[in-house]
Amino acid sequence: MGKARLLLTIPFWVLLLASGVYSASDPGEEEPKVEEAEPAPKEPKKLEITAPQTSVQQLFDLDLRRWPEERFYENLTGLINELSVRYGDEATATLLDTAELFLGQMMVAEAESVLGELEDVSPGQFRRKTALKHAQMLLNGASVDDFETSPLNEDSRPDRAFWSVLQAIATADGAMLNENLSGGVLGLIHQTRPVARSVLPIIIEAMIETEQLTLAARSLELLEDFPDLSDAPMGHYLRGRAAEKQNNQKTALVHYFEGIKGFDRYAVRSRLAIADMAIMDGGRGALMAAEDVLENGLDSWRGDQFEIATLQKLHEVYAAADERVEGLILLSKITMRFPGTEAAERAEAASKDALRAVYQDGFDGKIPLSRWLSVHLRLVPAYRYHPEYARLVEELADHLMSLGGTTMAAKEYQRALDFRVDLKDLNSDWVSDEEMTQNKLKLARAYAAGGQYQEAKEALATLDGAVDIMVRNDINTLRAKIAAQMGDADGLLRTHVMSPSAENLRNVSHALWEKQEWDGANEFYNRLWAEYPGSFSLSDATYLLIAAHRTGDRNTATRVVEAFPGMTESENWVRLAESFLSQPPDVSTLTLDAANGRLDRLNSALENIQGNGL
C-alpha cells in the first residue's frame, strides 16, 4: 500500500502549526508544556492543506488515517468483497480493518458491532483488536480498565496523550487530564477529521474547566475549521464559557444568548449558564430574564438529564425570586415527567414541605382567602396524585367550614375524597379506611349544614359499612338530624343514637309529639330536661306540658308549671301553663257561663301557642 494512501489530509493541521501549539518533535519524547504562546497574527496567511509528509509515523496497532474520509464507500465495498474470499486469520484481519474504517468515520456503534463478532483471535492479532476495542470505548465516552497497560497508552505512540485525555475525562481524573491536555491537542493530527470534529469540542471544554485558558483560546481557533460547530450553539457556548472563566460577563452573555437560538444540547447548556449567572447576580431583572429564557426553552429539548437540569435550574430561579407557587408546579412536573428517578424523589421530598408552607400561609391568614383559593386551584392539577395532598385539601375544607362557607367546603371535601379514591387505586397503602370514612362524614356534615339534606343523606349511605362504635354513633347522630330536617319522623325514630345530643333528644321528642305518641314524647322531653337542663327551652317546656297533660302525668305538669316563671317573663305564658292544672267543672253541672268560660280559656291557650310558633 502506497504512502499516499496511508496518509490523510487534515484541513486544520496547518492551523496547529500556525498557532504555535504544534512543534515537530521526537514522538518518543514528552511534548513540551505550553506556558504562554504568542498571539496569532491578525490575518494569518492561508496555506494550502496537503497530506502529512511521509516522516509521520505509521501506527500499526491503530491508525485511523489509513482510511481517507473521501474514499469511505470504496474502501467499505472493497473490505466486504475481501471478506467473501478470505478465511481464518485473513478474514479476522479484514474485520479489524473494517472496525478501524468505521472508527475513522466516528461510526462507533458499527465498530463495536464488528469487534463484537471477534471473540477469539490469534495471539498476533490480539494486540490490534485490544487497541481498536479501547479506541471504540474511549470515543464512545466510556473508560478503559487497566488503561496503563493499553496499547494506546504506550510511550511510542505520538497520540498517547490524546487517548489519555479521553480516559481522564471518562474517569474524572483531574491530574491525568492536566498532564495530557497540551499533548492531547497535538494528538489530533493523528486522527481523522470526523474524529477531530467530535472530540475537539470535548477537549476544548476540558481546557476551559481546568482554566487552561490560553490553550483553550488557541484551540477555539481550530474549531473555526468546522463552521457547522463554530457558528452553532456549541461554538457560542464554549466561547461564552471561556469568557465567563475570565470574568468577562458581558462577552459571556453575548455568546450565551447566541447559543440559545439553537435547539441542541449546547443551546440547553447556554440557557443553564444564563440562569446560573442570573442567580449569582440576584437582581430582579436578571432573574426575570433567566425565567424567560428557561421557560421558552422547556419544549426545545426533552427526555434526558438536560431537560431535568433545565427544570431544576428554573426551580432555583423561582426560589431566588420567591415565586413559591411556580416552583411547586415545576417540582410536580419533574415528578410526573421522570417517575422513579432520583430527580423525581428529590422533587417530591422538596414539594412536601413547600406545599405545607403555602397552605399554612392561608390557614394563618397571611394571604387573602380569594388569593389563597386561586393558588389552590392552580396547584390542584399538579398535585392531585401527591400522597399527602388530599390531607391539605381536607384541611382547607375544614377552614372554609369554620368560616361558614358550607357549599365551598363541600366541594373541597368532595375533591379530597376523589383524590383519595384515585390514590387508593394506585397504592392501597397511601390511604387508610379511617381517612376515607372521616372524609365522607365531613362531606355529609357540610351538605347538611348548607341545607342540602338529600345530598347529605346520599353521602351517609356510603358509610353503612362503618364498624367503629364511635364512628357509627356520629353517623347515626347526623342521620337522625337530617331525617328531622327532612320531616322524616319514621326515619328519625328508627335511627338509634348511642349518646344522643340535646338536639337529637329534642328531634326525637318532637317527632313523637307530632305522631301524638304522648307517652314517648313525655319520656324524651323529660330526658332532655334531665340530661341537658341548660338547653331545655321554653318551647320544650310547653311541648312537655302538653304531653304530660295528655298522659295525665300531673307531677310532670306541676314541675313544668313551677319552672315556667324562670323561663319567661310573660305573664300570659305563666297563666297559660297554670291553666293546664285547673280542674274542669263537672259536665253534669255545666251552665252556659261555665261552658263559655272553658271555651274562652281554650281559645286563649291556642292563640298563645300559635302566636309563639308551637
Side-chain angles (χ1 to χ4, degrees):
M1 184 178 295
K3 291 185 177 180
R5 184 182 177 190
L6 295 175
L7 303 178
L8 173 67
T9 298
I10 303 179
F12 60 87
W13 183 58
V14 172
L15 287 176
L16 280 168
L17 294 173
S19 67
V21 175
Y22 173 76
S23 61
S25 62
D26 189 337
E29 294 179 359
E30 182 178 355
E31 297 294 345
K33 184 175 181 181
V34 177
E35 295 293 339
E36 192 71 23
E38 293 294 326
K42 293 183 179 179
E43 296 182 0
K45 182 179 179 181
K46 299 296 183 181
L47 301 178
E48 292 294 326
I49 306 301
T50 60
Q53 300 300 311
T54 56
S55 61
V56 175
Q57 177 181 343
Q58 180 178 346
L59 310 176
F60 292 100
D61 294 329
L62 173 74
D63 192 348
L64 302 182
R65 302 167 305 166
R66 290 201 302 151
W67 311 98
E69 180 183 3
E70 66 275 7
R71 290 185 54 80
F72 170 73
Y73 292 106
E74 293 89 340
N75 288 330
L76 180 59
T77 301
L79 290 171
I80 293 173
N81 291 336
E82 288 181 7
L83 280 174
S84 64
V85 296
R86 291 188 175 184
Y87 304 93
D89 288 349
E90 291 184 349
T92 298
T94 302
L95 286 173
L96 292 173
D97 285 344
T98 304
E100 188 176 66
L101 172 67
F102 284 140
L103 287 178
Q105 302 301 310
M106 276 302 291
M107 299 172 67
V108 181
E110 290 78 359
E112 181 180 14
S113 177
V114 172
L115 292 171
E117 297 296 323
L118 298 173
E119 296 183 1
D120 298 319
V121 297
S122 64
Q125 295 173 319
F126 181 78
R127 179 183 174 85
R128 187 171 183 226
K129 179 194 172 184
T130 301
L132 287 165
K133 181 59 180 177
H134 288 178
Q136 175 263 315
M137 295 172 66
L138 291 170
L139 290 176
N140 202 34
S143 62
V144 173
D145 295 335
D146 298 326
F147 180 72
E148 294 78 7
T149 62
S150 172
L152 301 180
N153 192 41
E154 291 192 349
D155 291 339
S156 60
R157 287 195 67 94
D159 63 349
R160 181 195 64 79
F162 170 80
W163 299 109
S164 295
V165 166
L166 297 184
Q167 173 73 7
I169 293 173
T171 58
D173 188 332
M176 179 186 288
L177 183 64
N178 280 315
E179 181 182 349
N180 292 281
L181 267 177
S182 178
V185 177
L186 298 176
L188 285 170
I189 69 170
H190 297 282
Q191 317 308 324
T192 59
R193 182 179 177 86
V195 170
R197 182 184 184 279
S198 298
V199 177
L200 180 59
I202 298 172
I203 295 179
I204 292 175
E205 185 169 358
M207 294 173 180
I208 294 171
E209 296 305 323
T210 56
E211 299 189 355
Q212 298 192 34
L213 301 179
T214 300
L215 191 58
R218 292 175 178 170
S219 299
L220 281 168
E221 295 176 9
L222 300 180
L223 195 65
E224 294 176 5
D225 196 48
F226 301 93
D228 60 323
L229 300 182
S230 181
D231 298 334
M234 175 188 288
H236 288 295
Y237 171 78
L238 292 174
R239 291 186 180 88
R241 186 63 177 153
E244 187 179 356
K245 282 288 185 178
Q246 294 173 319
N247 293 320
N248 189 342
Q249 311 299 328
K250 181 178 179 180
T251 300
L253 283 174
V254 169
H255 284 295
Y256 287 149
F257 275 103
E258 284 296 318
I260 67 174
K261 295 178 181 179
F263 298 94
D264 61 10
R265 293 184 178 186
Y266 283 92
V268 178
R269 298 182 70 183
S270 294
R271 296 185 190 100
L272 296 174
I274 291 172
D276 282 332
M277 293 178 70
I279 293 172
M280 186 175 297
D281 179 274
R284 182 62 184 166
L287 292 173
M288 290 179 64
E291 283 183 24
D292 185 63
V293 167
L294 292 174
E295 288 172 349
N296 289 334
L298 281 177
D299 294 329
S300 63
W301 189 271
R302 305 289 295 273
D304 64 4
Q305 72 273 16
F306 284 104
E307 182 185 359
I308 294 176
T310 301
L311 292 170
Q312 291 174 330
K313 190 62 63 178
L314 183 54
H315 179 260
E316 289 182 37
V317 173
Y318 285 146
D322 195 28
E323 298 179 10
R324 293 188 298 169
V325 176
E326 286 73 13
L328 272 170
I329 293 173
L330 204 65
L331 288 174
S332 172
K333 188 171 185 177
I334 295 174
T335 303
M336 291 188 291
R337 287 279 296 125
F338 302 95
T341 64
E342 183 181 351
E345 292 175 0
R346 290 201 303 269
E348 185 168 339
S351 65
K352 179 179 179 180
D353 292 337
L355 268 175
R356 169 58 64 180
V358 167
Y359 278 81
Q360 195 61 49
D361 283 350
F363 297 140
D364 296 340
K366 294 180 180 178
I367 56 177
L369 181 61
S370 59
R371 181 184 171 193
W372 182 19
L373 292 176
S374 176
V375 168
H376 165 67
L377 293 177
R378 288 189 62 196
L379 293 173
V380 163
Y383 283 94
R384 64 170 298 151
Y385 295 107
H386 192 283
E388 305 203 10
Y389 187 56
R391 179 59 192 164
L392 286 173
V393 176
E394 181 182 339
E395 289 181 18
L396 170 60
D398 292 343
H399 185 77
L400 293 171
M401 276 292 288
S402 70
L403 298 176
T406 57
T407 301
M408 295 175 66
K411 289 182 179 179
E412 296 306 324
Y413 283 132
Q414 184 63 60
R415 195 193 309 277
L417 183 60
D418 293 341
F419 290 174
R420 284 181 166 129
V421 170
D422 291 342
L423 287 172
K424 200 170 182 65
D425 289 340
L426 292 173
N427 189 329
S428 59
D429 294 335
W430 286 349
V431 181
S432 68
D433 291 339
E434 181 181 359
E435 287 177 315
M436 294 288 287
T437 298
Q438 289 299 325
N439 196 157
K440 292 177 181 179
L441 186 54
K442 287 182 178 181
L443 174 61
R445 284 172 178 159
Y447 280 139
Q452 297 175 271
Y453 300 118
Q454 184 60 39
E455 289 82 353
K457 185 177 180 180
E458 292 172 359
L460 287 176
T462 65
L463 290 169
D464 288 339
V467 294
D468 183 89
I469 295 178
M470 298 307 298
V471 172
R472 170 56 59 184
N473 185 67
D474 291 341
I475 293 171
N476 285 344
T477 298
L478 182 57
R479 182 170 283 152
K481 177 181 178 179
I482 293 170
Q485 294 292 337
M486 295 180 72
D488 182 7
D490 291 335
L492 169 63
L493 296 175
R494 286 196 306 267
T495 304
H496 172 69
V497 178
M498 183 175 62
S499 301
S501 63
E503 181 183 24
N504 179 254
L505 288 174
R506 180 177 292 111
N507 289 337
V508 172
S509 302
H510 189 67
L512 292 168
W513 197 95
E514 289 284 346
K515 293 172 71 68
Q516 298 185 11
E517 296 183 13
W518 306 116
D519 288 332
N522 185 33
E523 176 187 351
F524 275 89
Y525 272 121
N526 267 301
R527 185 176 173 184
L528 171 63
W529 193 6
E531 294 181 13
Y532 300 97
S535 298
F536 193 71
S537 66
L538 177 63
S539 175
D540 297 326
T542 304
Y543 282 122
L544 175 57
L545 178 59
I546 295 172
H549 179 72
R550 289 300 185 98
T551 60
D553 185 354
R554 190 168 184 82
N555 290 334
T556 296
T558 300
R559 287 176 53 236
V560 174
V561 169
E562 291 174 351
F564 253 75
M567 295 182 181
T568 179
E569 296 179 357
S570 172
E571 294 182 0
N572 288 334
W573 272 107
V574 174
R575 284 197 299 271
L576 172 64
E578 291 173 346
S579 69
F580 279 85
L581 297 179
S582 62
Q583 292 293 332
D586 193 336
V587 174
S588 60
T589 60
L590 271 179
T591 63
L592 181 60
D593 291 340
N596 289 334
R598 290 188 62 191
L599 288 174
D600 289 341
R601 288 197 302 272
L602 178 61
N603 287 333
S604 177
L606 291 175
E607 288 173 0
N608 276 311
I609 291 173
Q610 292 172 354
N612 286 274
L614 297 178

